[in-house]
């Protein structure tokens, strides 16, 4: 593979939870003075490490609550880790939540430019790329329609089209290929393979092990915030599918 574009070193994310939201300031002061305020720690991620090189497509697998989305937020610098470090070398386009970053009252074209601006691209760049984005999403006839009138599948198409067409060095996708019809899924996968062929890197979170097997060259398996395995796609996916059948985690750690 090529140069390292993402280097995650032993990161952990810890949330502090308590009963602050349910009390007023006066009651909080009293609780604090009398030492009756309760604060609990929730460990969302613990000791996660991996590298992503140019040309890699890393699949991240695990059940709900495994910490997959939290990890993506750390990589995209939406969230800071409690400990450890993350180094990212390159422009990131992340689709973490399809509905985020769009204005329901604006039309499709206006939202495309808005998302482009949020990704740091100039109007001139978007003027050049917009026709290509529109054609790829197959939504030209809906260009002037208010975004709130579009189906979830249409929203996922335009979101994916913007992220992939603006040529990011690092493309991050969180379950976005599970929305939409089969034809567009195939088209999206073909586009992802094209991005990889151009020396870019991609991180894909998916509940579809078949999709992970088709697309990824390495896989990270998380369970309840812990790193269970990191290695080649076949061996990690085989181990994960065995876990789904038996409910037993492998005895070994990272590969």
């Amino acid at each position: 593979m090529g140069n390292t574009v993402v280097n995650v070193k032993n990161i952990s994310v810890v949330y502090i939870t308590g009963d602050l939201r349910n009390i007023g300031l006066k009651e909080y002061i009293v609780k604090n003075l009398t030492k009756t305020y309760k604060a609990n720690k929730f460990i969302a991620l613990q000791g996660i490490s991996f590298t992503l090189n140019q040309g890699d497509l890393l699949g991240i697998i695990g059940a709900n609550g495994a910490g997959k989305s939290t990890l993506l937020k750390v990589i995209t610098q939406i969230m800071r880790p409690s400990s450890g470090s993350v180094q990212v070398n390159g422009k990131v386009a992340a689709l973490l939540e399809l509905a985020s970053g769009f204005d329901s009252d604006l039309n499709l074209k206006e939202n495309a430019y808005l998302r482009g601006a949020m990704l740091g691209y100039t109007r001139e760049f978007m003027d050049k790329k917009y026709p290509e984005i529109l054609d790829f999403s197959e939504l030209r006839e809906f260009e002037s329609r208010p975004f709130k009138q579009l189906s979830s599948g249409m929203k996922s198409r335009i979101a994916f089209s913007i992220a992939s067409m603006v040529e990011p060095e690092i493309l991050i996708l969180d379950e976005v290929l599970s929305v939409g019809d089969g034809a567009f899924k195939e088209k999206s996968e073909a586009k992802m393979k094209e991005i990889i062929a151009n020396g870019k890197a991609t991180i894909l979170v998916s509940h579809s092990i078949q999709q992970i097997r088709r697309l990824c060259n390495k896989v990270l398996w998380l369970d309840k915030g812990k790193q269970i395995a990191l290695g080649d796609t076949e061996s990690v996916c085989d181990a994960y599918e065995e876990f789904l059948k038996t409910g037993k985690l492998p005895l070994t750690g990272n590969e």
Side-chain angles (χ1 to χ4, degrees), residues 107-172:
N107 64 30
L108 187 150
K109 181 176 182 178
E110 292 165 335
N111 268 296
Y113 277 78
L114 175 63
R115 175 59 70 90
M118 291 175 67
L119 292 171
Y121 296 106
T122 64
R123 184 176 182 86
E124 289 75 18
F125 183 86
M126 289 303 295
D127 284 341
K128 178 181 177 182
K129 282 289 183 180
Y130 177 68
E132 188 179 350
I133 291 169
L134 198 61
D135 288 340
F136 187 88
S137 67
E138 302 171 3
L139 294 173
R140 184 170 289 278
E141 61 185 292
F142 300 97
E143 181 179 17
S144 301
R145 183 166 296 190
F147 207 72
K148 58 188 174 185
Q149 294 180 11
L150 300 179
S151 69
S152 60
M154 291 177 179
K155 291 175 182 177
S156 71
R157 287 192 195 185
I158 193 66
F160 180 87
S161 300
I162 294 166
S164 59
M165 291 294 178
V166 293
E167 299 174 358
E169 274 110 359
I170 306 162
L171 178 63
I172 298 179

Side-chain angles (χ1 to χ4, degrees), residues 5 53-57 167-171 194-202:
V5 291
N53 299 319
Q54 286 186 358
D56 274 343
L57 203 165
E167 299 174 358
E169 274 110 359
I170 306 162
L171 178 63
E194 180 185 322
I195 293 172
I196 297 165
N198 289 333
K200 311 306 180 185
T202 304

Side-chain angles (χ1 to χ4, degrees), residues 211-226:
Q211 191 176 72
I212 294 287
R213 286 185 184 275
R214 283 199 308 273
L215 296 173
C216 303
N217 67 300
K218 61 169 67 171
V219 176
L220 171 65
W221 173 8
L222 301 178
D223 185 80
K224 297 178 182 177
K226 295 182 179 179

Side-chain angles (χ1 to χ4, degrees), residues 17-225:
T17 61
D19 54 4
L20 263 178
R21 289 177 297 178
N22 301 320
I23 64 175
L25 177 60
K26 182 179 178 181
E27 189 177 352
Y28 165 72
I29 293 173
V30 173
K31 282 179 175 287
N32 193 42
L33 289 173
T34 57
K35 307 300 181 184
T36 57
Y37 172 68
K38 295 180 181 179
N40 301 307
K41 289 184 178 181
F42 171 71
I43 301 174
L45 291 173
Q46 184 175 0
I48 310 300
S49 298
F50 68 89
T51 57
L52 186 67
N53 299 319
Q54 286 186 358
D56 274 343
L57 203 165
L58 173 70
I60 302 179
I61 58 176
N64 291 332
K68 303 185 297 294
S69 295
T70 300
L71 177 58
L72 297 188
K73 288 175 182 177
V74 171
I75 295 169
T76 54
Q77 300 180 336
I78 294 173
M79 180 183 294
R80 287 185 178 180
S82 304
S83 61
S85 64
V86 178
Q87 184 178 5
V88 178
N89 302 313
K91 184 178 287 293
V92 178
L95 295 183
L96 304 185
E97 298 171 359
L98 287 175
S100 67
F102 291 114
D103 188 319
S104 61
D105 293 323
L106 299 179
N107 64 30
L108 187 150
K109 181 176 182 178
E110 292 165 335
N111 268 296
Y113 277 78
L114 175 63
R115 175 59 70 90
M118 291 175 67
L119 292 171
Y121 296 106
T122 64
R123 184 176 182 86
E124 289 75 18
F125 183 86
M126 289 303 295
D127 284 341
K128 178 181 177 182
K129 282 289 183 180
Y130 177 68
E132 188 179 350
I133 291 169
L134 198 61
D135 288 340
F136 187 88
S137 67
E138 302 171 3
L139 294 173
R140 184 170 289 278
E141 61 185 292
F142 300 97
E143 181 179 17
S144 301
R145 183 166 296 190
F147 207 72
K148 58 188 174 185
Q149 294 180 11
L150 300 179
S151 69
S152 60
M154 291 177 179
K155 291 175 182 177
S156 71
R157 287 192 195 185
I158 193 66
F160 180 87
S161 300
I162 294 166
S164 59
M165 291 294 178
V166 293
E167 299 174 358
E169 274 110 359
I170 306 162
L171 178 63
I172 298 179
L173 304 169
D174 188 2
E175 293 291 351
V176 298
L177 298 187
S178 61
V179 183
D181 57 35
F184 192 77
K185 286 181 185 177
E186 291 181 10
K187 188 175 180 179
S188 299
E189 289 189 8
K191 182 62 180 179
M192 289 173 65
K193 290 176 180 176
E194 180 185 322
I195 293 172
I196 297 165
N198 289 333
K200 311 306 180 185
T202 304
I203 297 175
L204 171 65
V205 170
S206 177
H207 283 296
S208 171
I209 298 301
Q210 291 73 26
Q211 191 176 72
I212 294 287
R213 286 185 184 275
R214 283 199 308 273
L215 296 173
C216 303
N217 67 300
K218 61 169 67 171
V219 176
L220 171 65
W221 173 8
L222 301 178
D223 185 80
K224 297 178 182 177

